Amino acid sequence: MLFYSAPPFWFCTSVCNCFVSKILRKRPLRLGSSEHRIFILVGPFHQRGCTLDIASYYFTAARIAGTSGVMSPSVGTPHPEESSDAVALETYLHHKEPHNHHHRRRVSIAGLKTAGSAKAGTDGTDGGHSDRLFVQVKSKHERTELELIDVWATIIPAKIATTAVSQLKQKLPKDPNSLHHLRRLVKDDILPKDDSTILLSLLVCSVAAVPSEEDIKALLDPLRELVQIPIADERLFVPTVRRAPSFPAPTKEQSKQWSEGTWPIMWRGNPHLIITELPDNDEDSYKSNLEELLDLTERAHNDGEVPIASIITDPETGKVIASSIDSRNSSKNPLSHSVMSCIAKVAKLEYARRQEQAANLNPDQDPPTQAYLCHNLQVITTHEPCAMCCMAMVHSRISRLVYVKNLPRSGGIDRNSGPGYGIHYNKQLNWQFECWRWNGEEILLYDVDESTNA
Amino acid sequence: MSTKHHEYMARALRMANLAFDSDEVPVGCVYVHDGEIIAEGMNDTNRSLCGTRHAEFLGIEHILQTNPSSIFEETDLYVTVEPCVMCASALRQLKIRAVYFGCANDRFGGCGSVLRINSDEGVERPYPAYPGFYREEAIMLLRRFYLQENEKAPVPKTKKSRELKTDFMPLDLGRYVPRSEIEQLYGKDALAVLEAQTSTSKNDS
Ligand SMILES: [Zn+2]
Ligand SMILES: [Zn+2]
């Protein structure tokens, strides 16, 4: 029988076996290996429609392995000399948790890129369209007054629009203003001088990103070369300054109003679902926090605990105040979730600190400042917290939550998780906090049963 | 109407009074298994400096010291105030059998007031939550507590907030309890009242 098998596929040390097994569970695949490569045996050659599936599978696998590009499937036969391996692997695949995770420690989050870039082409309706490492799940900041910023715009022929946009994207510096909510191309009422061409207005970038007109001209001029038949219209490729709303409107109606006389907004639903950006510094510091979380989950796994972990940090100093793994197994308390334990630790620390202060009280000095619960602290955790933990964060006045993975059955944050509680932005409750989810390449977390409450 | 539920709730109220005397938000609870109170709890957030030390949690921890968590499947909770979203979720994860509470918790309630954690679709089985057992006593205890807090505040509040209110809004049973269960637990009259309310509100709209 003929099998599809991968071309040489490096088993890089950062790939842990459990991860490969995770993919394998999704598809009826089998795995074989020789010294430096993994063969993935997919299925009979003659199976119809198999090729595309396999290509997309390799794509995922390659991304996980840190190899770039899509690996095209090729035809091969299983190596008979690997049969002993294959038997071992088969046994391995039938066990749910056989992991040897020594490799996983080599994963460097610092090197991970965004997954958004690989997903280019998806539309932003589900909030997944971002080239940032974290996406905001929703914000409590409700801005309702129109604010305008200056943006550069120009006029281009519709024919070259797609090429022009992608060419510009490569050359433009990072924009300090988020322009995701604005239309990129607008069919203004620009009457072409030559009836044969449709003209579009193109949003280039904010003036804050490229303040000099000369620089903008230098960016726009090369686009002229994309036009094959010259168009006699002196307005083409000339930069002009336009006014644009600096953030999306809260309602569809307002969105329309705000777009009148300014650069138009693209309505994508409630702006609190739309991605805003976390500053680079924050993204960097969370990456190192995530490395610490991975260490903790490894410990949890080795201790026979549910591999979920959390830390609480002070965003001002970056200091880790408390960290904890899930301990429901050893404590025999199903509620010993890592977020709850972290919150309890913060309270204990403050309690001890106050006791010490009381003992050394100097009546001549001003009373020392006292921390209030977890006010101004943030939680960084591996999995979307359950409703209990979310509300515990509300009670504790947490300012920000950062997590890696959604738990669609039990989570209390994402609108697609469980009944969609979104406890962090429920206006009926007396506290709201910001929430950000990891948007980068898949991080090698241990498998957690999907009905687990994190 | 006095029932065994009122008996257990009276014990929960005693715990709430204890909380009041300890300068905690006066919420108390008892857990009942096989007709026996197996644990009590009172709010402990101010003393512990921990915002999650609600009465429910203290009781849960006490029970788990000597029992497996499966005991909750056959255990009922009596708590003077509707469990908050956090506790409502905790109780569901423990698969509690039923919850009886005094007054609704308009700010944080997780059993019908703000969210319906007890009955929504979820991982663990849902549980019923019945309000109204010694409701007025629970409300008065809270009012006395917040009045006292206001008096302690460095800037005295308005005169109105310094008066102890003694009137009660009617309880909207239909918000918490399925119609089919009302008569059995609250009597024919309660059902009649609810139906009268519903028909007026229908006429209004
Ligand atoms: Zn949790
Ligand atoms: Zn509670």
Side-chain angles (χ1 to χ4, degrees), chain A residues 395, chain B residues 54 56 83-84 86-87:
Chain A
H395 284 317
Chain B
H54 287 187
E56 293 91 328
C84 74
M86 172 183 76
C87 294

Side-chain angles (χ1 to χ4, degrees), chain A residues 218-394:
Chain A
L219 278 163
L220 292 178
D221 276 338
L223 300 181
R224 292 174 192 274
E225 286 162 28
L226 299 171
V227 187
Q228 278 157 5
I229 306 152
I231 305 162
D233 193 324
E234 67 282 357
R235 298 169 303 177
L236 286 178
F237 305 110
V238 174
T240 53
V241 175
R242 300 272 301 260
R243 304 281 282 164
S246 62
F247 51 84
T251 68
K252 191 168 184 174
E253 233 158 61
Q254 261 182 313
S255 189
K256 242 184 215 163
Q257 283 172 13
W258 287 11
S259 301
E260 272 165 32
T262 68
W263 193 271
I265 299 173
M266 182 151 36
W267 175 250
R268 283 175 165 168
N270 188 327
H272 303 294
L273 306 177
I274 289 178
I275 304 145
T276 44
E277 287 178 2
L278 212 52
D280 286 346
N281 287 345
D282 286 3
E283 290 209 340
D284 286 344
S285 69
Y286 293 141
K287 279 200 277 189
S288 70
N289 293 148
L290 289 181
E291 304 237 20
E292 184 170 349
L293 283 180
L294 286 187
D295 286 349
L296 286 169
T297 54
E298 180 159 353
R299 212 184 78 204
H301 174 84
N302 293 339
D303 292 356
E305 298 284 9
V306 178
I308 296 172
S310 303
I311 57 180
I312 288 183
T313 71
D314 181 347
E316 289 272 302
T317 58
K319 206 179 130 204
V320 175
I321 314 272
S323 68
S324 180
I325 58 171
D326 188 289
S327 58
R328 73 188 74 178
N329 290 347
S330 61
S331 69
K332 299 203 164 35
N333 180 347
L335 308 177
S336 299
H337 300 184
S338 58
V339 172
M340 297 298 279
S341 307
C342 276
I343 289 172
K345 279 184 182 174
V346 171
K348 271 199 189 121
L349 284 169
E350 177 65 12
Y351 192 88
R353 206 182 61 93
R354 288 194 194 182
Q355 299 248 299
E356 198 185 334
Q357 259 170 14
N360 308 320
L361 200 62
N362 180 351
D364 300 335
Q365 277 175 356
D366 287 340
T369 54
Q370 295 190 325
Y372 176 61
L373 303 171
C374 299
H375 194 212
N376 291 333
L377 301 182
Q378 52 187 9
V379 170
I380 300 144
T381 184
T382 52
H383 295 78
E384 181 183 4
C386 73
M388 170 183 72
C389 291
C390 291
M391 192 61 195
M393 288 185 273
V394 171

Side-chain angles (χ1 to χ4, degrees), chain A residues 391 395, chain B residues 27 43 45 51-57 79 81-88 90-91 105 108:
Chain A
M391 192 61 195
H395 284 317
Chain B
V27 182
N43 231 346
T45 56
T52 64
R53 303 299 290 157
H54 287 187
E56 293 91 328
F57 271 77
V79 56
V81 180
E82 176 188 356
C84 74
V85 168
M86 172 183 76
C87 294
L91 293 162
N105 183 343
F108 310 120

Side-chain angles (χ1 to χ4, degrees), chain A residues 425-443:
Chain A
Y425 66 82
N426 188 322
K427 289 276 170 187
Q428 273 173 280
L429 303 173
N430 66 341
W431 184 256
Q432 284 88 37
F433 55 87
E434 270 180 48
C435 179
W436 300 81
R437 183 180 56 233
W438 174 253
N439 183 52
E441 287 178 61
E442 206 157 349
I443 292 176

Side-chain angles (χ1 to χ4, degrees), chain A residues 135-182:
Chain A
V135 288
Q136 185 157 27
V137 188
K138 239 183 192 189
S139 159
K140 65 169 179 170
H141 307 296
E142 230 169 287
R143 293 191 288 182
T144 51
E145 296 298 313
L146 172 64
E147 278 172 30
L148 294 169
I149 48 162
D150 288 334
V151 293
W152 288 112
T154 188
I155 293 169
I156 58 167
K159 269 183 197 161
I160 66 150
T162 325
T163 335
V165 168
S166 65
Q167 193 168 317
L168 272 176
K169 262 188 189 164
Q170 284 170 18
K171 290 185 189 165
L172 283 168
K174 203 183 126 34
D175 210 305
N177 294 294
S178 168
L179 304 178
H180 289 301
H181 59 290
L182 298 173

Side-chain angles (χ1 to χ4, degrees), chain B residues 72-145:
Chain B
F72 287 99
E73 293 174 30
E74 299 295 324
T75 298
D76 299 329
L77 166 69
Y78 291 81
V79 56
T80 56
V81 180
E82 176 188 356
C84 74
V85 168
M86 172 183 76
C87 294
S89 172
L91 293 162
R92 182 141 179 188
Q93 293 180 37
L94 293 169
K95 308 188 187 76
I96 192 101
R97 190 170 67 178
V99 169
Y100 299 84
F101 62 91
C103 64
N105 183 343
D106 295 328
R107 294 197 304 160
F108 310 120
C111 294
S113 293
V114 179
L115 295 177
R116 294 171 194 280
I117 302 276
N118 64 315
S119 59
D120 278 333
E121 204 180 297
V123 176
E124 295 85 8
R125 71 172 189 196
Y127 60 87
Y130 305 108
F133 299 89
Y134 286 133
R135 169 172 179 254
E136 298 185 354
E137 286 77 359
I139 293 176
M140 287 313 291
L141 206 45
L142 287 171
R143 283 183 186 165
R144 273 172 51 212
F145 179 79

